[in-house]
Amino acid sequence: MDRLAAANILVPGVEVRVVARCASTNAVLLADLKERTQRAEERTQCAAAHPVLLAAEEQTAGRGQRGRAWHSERGAGATFSLLRRMRCAPKVLGGLSLAVGVAAARALRGLGARDVALKWPNDLLAGGKHAGAKLGGILIQTRVQGDEVCAAVGIGINCRRVDALGKRLRRRLVALDDLLQPPAQRNAVIAAVGREVMAALQAYERLGLAAFAEDWRALHAHEGRRLRVRLADGRMLSGVAAGLAPGGALRLRTRAGMRDVSDGRVTENASRVRAARRAAST
């Protein structure tokens, strides 16, 4: 097993920490931020003076979208969080997970995983013969404290194949081992993704989601395809994926016109997914 080591995770300007086990890297960093804030208030200092990256060999209570559990097998994934102060209004952070997705996909493609794609709003998928299989996910949590806005950017990427996990979750999973030969070292994966995410956060502060919208659309696994979306109230909406609304909502072209979906769960026609995998394997 390639062990995580802070000295081998090189992200300029970021303090890197590694732990063997924790409940959630996001939760640890946010708790640390709260403690630092209390100390800073006593000294009139900035609590989030520098970014911090925390990586864990194992997470026992990771979370994904809508509070779903994120399963992290020991030594099998790149599971980490970045905590950074954001110099922008909280209201513009709604599309941040989309920008982070673009950054993560860029980094993984740069490592050689050429078919990595995105699923709205926060999943990393494989393409090609593994089309539709989940590679990773993103969870962003923000804290507003006085004039400061801090974002904890949690990222989980499957690096080593764990066959039993897919069976237990009853869904198709893919790992970087399936996409890269020779396999990438987890320290290198975290470092590459961390650097891209830091650059994306800086760009997002200045330019917002608009700076990432076209790249996101090019990386969107379902762009131009007919999707079904289960809305927050349980209703189903069908339409063709047509990019993003300015605030980060998924834009669908429906029979009744354009609809922007800000909260929902996306599903794709299963036969289309199978057809895509067959085409990629021929």
Side-chain angles (χ1 to χ4, degrees):
M1 181 179 74
D2 57 323
R3 295 186 180 279
L4 298 181
N8 296 331
I9 301 173
L10 304 178
V11 184
V14 177
E15 176 191 348
V16 177
R17 307 173 188 167
V18 170
V19 295
R21 192 170 187 258
C22 70
S24 157
T25 52
N26 264 20
V28 170
L29 287 182
L30 290 172
D32 180 63
L33 173 66
K34 183 177 180 180
E35 182 179 337
R36 280 191 286 157
T37 299
Q38 292 171 345
R39 293 199 305 265
E41 287 174 348
E42 297 172 359
R43 304 171 188 172
T44 64
Q45 295 175 337
C46 175
H50 62 275
V52 180
L53 186 154
L54 176 66
E57 289 282 6
E58 180 184 7
Q59 270 194 148
T60 59
R63 286 288 175 264
Q65 188 183 15
R66 296 187 187 87
R68 296 190 187 99
W70 172 263
H71 297 264
S72 171
E73 298 285 333
R74 183 173 182 79
T79 305
F80 66 100
S81 296
L82 263 168
L83 181 73
R84 184 185 184 277
R85 180 173 53 173
M86 297 297 293
R87 297 172 178 84
C88 56
K91 65 180 180 181
V92 305
L93 293 177
L96 187 57
S97 67
L98 302 166
V100 170
V102 170
R106 285 174 180 164
L108 295 174
R109 286 183 168 216
L111 291 172
R114 302 293 183 187
D115 290 327
V116 172
L118 300 174
K119 176 184 175 182
W120 184 89
N122 60 358
D123 281 354
L124 296 163
L125 303 182
K129 66 180 182 180
H130 300 287
K134 184 169 180 175
L135 176 64
I138 297 160
L139 175 67
I140 295 182
Q141 296 172 281
T142 58
R143 293 292 183 271
V144 180
Q145 295 172 321
D147 295 331
E148 288 187 6
V149 182
C150 290
V153 179
I155 299 174
I157 298 167
N158 304 323
C159 293
R160 310 290 174 251
R161 189 186 305 112
V162 182
D163 293 330
L165 182 60
K167 294 177 181 177
R168 189 162 76 241
L169 299 179
R170 296 182 180 179
R171 69 165 301 168
R172 292 180 61 241
L173 302 178
V174 70
L176 283 179
D177 277 2
D178 299 311
L179 309 179
L180 290 174
Q181 290 299 329
Q185 295 294 301
R186 291 183 301 141
N187 289 309
V189 172
I190 294 173
V193 175
R195 290 191 293 267
E196 282 285 356
V197 169
M198 284 296 294
L201 296 179
Q202 293 170 4
Y204 197 95
E205 284 179 327
R206 295 182 288 108
L207 304 168
L209 181 58
F212 301 88
E214 286 304 314
D215 282 351
W216 186 91
R217 192 167 186 172
L219 290 164
H220 185 201
H222 303 141
E223 190 66 22
R225 298 182 182 178
R226 181 164 294 279
L227 304 175
R228 300 181 73 216
V229 181
R230 183 176 295 279
L231 303 177
D233 61 7
R235 290 180 299 129
M236 295 297 295
L237 179 66
S238 178
V240 175
L244 296 170
L250 178 65
R251 185 155 280 176
L252 292 179
R253 186 180 298 110
T254 73
R255 292 179 179 178
M258 284 293 190
R259 285 281 303 273
D260 294 343
V261 178
S262 58
D263 189 9
R265 183 177 181 182
V266 172
T267 61
E268 190 183 15
N269 186 294
S271 62
R272 290 178 182 270
V273 175
R274 289 193 294 269
R277 291 204 300 270
R278 285 196 300 269
S281 60
T282 58

